[in-house]
Amino acid sequence: MGRSYRIMGVCREPRILPFLLLFIASITDETTIVKNGYSFLPEKIGFGAYAYLWNQSTEIFRAYGITILVTVVGTATSLAITSMLAYPLSRRELPMRNSLAFFVFFTLLFNGGLVPTYLIYTQVFHIKNTIEALIIPGLLMNGFNVLLMRTFFMTTIPVPVLESAHIDGAGEFTTFYKIVLPLSMPIMATIGLFQGIAYWNDWFNGLIYITNPKLFSLQSILNRIMSDIQFLSSNSSMAPQSSEALAALPAETFRMAIAVIGVIPILAAYPFFQKYFVKGITIGAVKG
């Protein structure tokens, strides 16, 4: 037993190694990476990738603000919608409960496709080039999260507690707000982490619905900069007089710097959710 604990303790330490390699690669000189590959002890240190990012700092800071706003608002709203749908589905006295649950499950199997979705959002809801375009497509619910939360409510929230609240005169909303939600922090933190990461890493909605540079999210603008670097590097022969400058573009290290910038906020937030995460996803998946 003692040996197994020691092994588990040792195995926890290497988890930080990929992130350490990621950061070291981002501050390695570009020519060193091209010549020797990635290493924990690079031959030469260089900050070309971060210098390149600093030249784009105005756009990046604005994109950071937009991404933070979208992540916070989208996650909070998504949690509210998901929980308010999952809770009624968890109550056995709800009429047509199984049919409604099937409609939620059906969304996991099929969707309308990109073209109808685009036409609905742009010509009916008119969200193109608005901040709502980064929130609403990810907001209209994730069926997996709804079913996971419904299962948590069914298996964890004691029915006698809900019945006693109703006997004391509490309505459904009061019961949900004052009893169910405080007992559901593990699943709320778990779903919140899922949604937060999805919003933070989202670039697809920005690619489809956003053409105004002032509304670019962090992932969208970093992808655009990366595409510019790759294009210039692959077409250096078109401009021989600037071939040396183009060769110095931090193509490889910039990929690592992008990953560092994108992952730091998630790493900072994860410890606050960690104590709830395993419990929430385990209890929520016990029964279907």
Side-chain angles (χ1 to χ4, degrees), residues 174-213:
T174 303
T175 302
F176 174 72
Y177 180 72
K178 293 189 175 181
I179 296 178
V180 175
L181 287 185
L183 295 174
S184 304
M185 290 307 297
I187 195 66
M188 297 295 287
T190 301
I191 301 301
L193 184 62
F194 285 163
Q195 288 295 111
I197 292 175
Y199 273 112
W200 184 267
N201 291 330
D202 177 59
W203 59 270
F204 188 69
N205 289 326
L207 178 67
I208 296 175
Y209 302 113
I210 302 297
T211 56
N212 183 357

Side-chain angles (χ1 to χ4, degrees), residues 6-288:
R6 287 196 297 273
I7 292 174
M8 290 174 63
V10 172
C11 290
R12 287 193 186 99
E13 298 302 326
R15 294 179 185 178
I16 197 174
L17 294 182
F19 300 106
L20 181 60
L21 179 61
L22 182 70
F23 174 72
I24 293 176
S26 70
I27 61 172
T28 302
D29 183 70
E30 178 73 15
T31 56
T32 300
I33 283 188
V34 173
K35 179 181 177 182
N36 301 325
Y38 303 109
S39 172
F40 285 103
L41 298 173
E43 188 177 288
K44 184 178 180 182
I45 298 295
F47 296 92
Y50 290 101
Y52 194 90
L53 282 172
W54 182 254
N55 293 332
Q56 315 285 334
S57 59
T58 302
E59 297 179 359
I60 290 176
F61 285 140
R62 181 175 60 238
Y64 246 120
I66 291 174
T67 301
I68 291 172
L69 174 65
V70 168
T71 301
V72 172
V73 174
T75 301
T77 310
S78 179
L79 274 176
I81 293 176
T82 301
S83 61
M84 287 191 290
L85 176 59
Y87 175 64
L89 292 177
S90 70
R91 302 301 302 275
R92 300 186 184 279
E93 61 269 24
L94 178 70
M96 300 180 64
R97 181 173 69 98
N98 292 332
S99 298
L100 294 174
F102 173 76
F103 288 136
V104 174
F105 173 73
F106 189 79
T107 63
L108 298 176
L109 306 176
F110 303 99
N111 62 69
L114 179 59
V115 173
T117 302
Y118 178 83
L119 294 176
I120 291 294
Y121 282 138
T122 57
Q123 298 185 15
V124 177
F125 294 111
H126 304 288
I127 65 171
K128 186 172 182 179
N129 280 329
T130 64
I131 201 70
E132 290 84 356
L134 301 175
I135 299 176
I136 293 178
L139 187 65
L140 299 177
M141 70 185 189
N142 186 318
F144 173 76
N145 292 342
V146 174
L147 296 177
L148 191 66
M149 190 174 289
R150 182 201 66 164
T151 304
F152 183 93
F153 290 152
M154 292 175 62
T155 57
T156 306
I157 307 300
V159 176
V161 174
L162 303 179
E163 293 176 348
S164 64
H166 293 155
I167 292 173
D168 290 338
E172 291 293 346
F173 182 79
T174 303
T175 302
F176 174 72
Y177 180 72
K178 293 189 175 181
I179 296 178
V180 175
L181 287 185
L183 295 174
S184 304
M185 290 307 297
I187 195 66
M188 297 295 287
T190 301
I191 301 301
L193 184 62
F194 285 163
Q195 288 295 111
I197 292 175
Y199 273 112
W200 184 267
N201 291 330
D202 177 59
W203 59 270
F204 188 69
N205 289 326
L207 178 67
I208 296 175
Y209 302 113
I210 302 297
T211 56
N212 183 357
K214 294 183 178 180
L215 294 177
F216 283 167
S217 65
L218 179 65
Q219 304 300 335
S220 297
I221 201 167
L222 292 179
N223 282 334
R224 183 180 64 81
I225 296 174
M226 188 70 248
S227 298
D228 292 344
I229 290 178
Q230 290 176 339
F231 176 80
L232 292 173
S233 299
S234 61
N235 293 277
S236 58
S237 59
M238 296 172 60
Q241 67 276 13
S242 59
S243 58
E244 293 184 1
L246 292 174
L249 286 175
E252 294 297 328
T253 56
F254 188 76
R255 290 192 183 94
M256 303 300 108
I258 286 176
V260 170
I261 289 177
V263 81
I264 283 178
I266 300 300
L267 290 178
Y270 183 74
F272 298 99
F273 294 90
Q274 186 176 12
K275 63 179 180 179
Y276 298 112
F277 184 76
V278 175
K279 181 180 178 182
I281 196 167
T282 301
I283 297 177
V286 170
K287 295 181 181 179

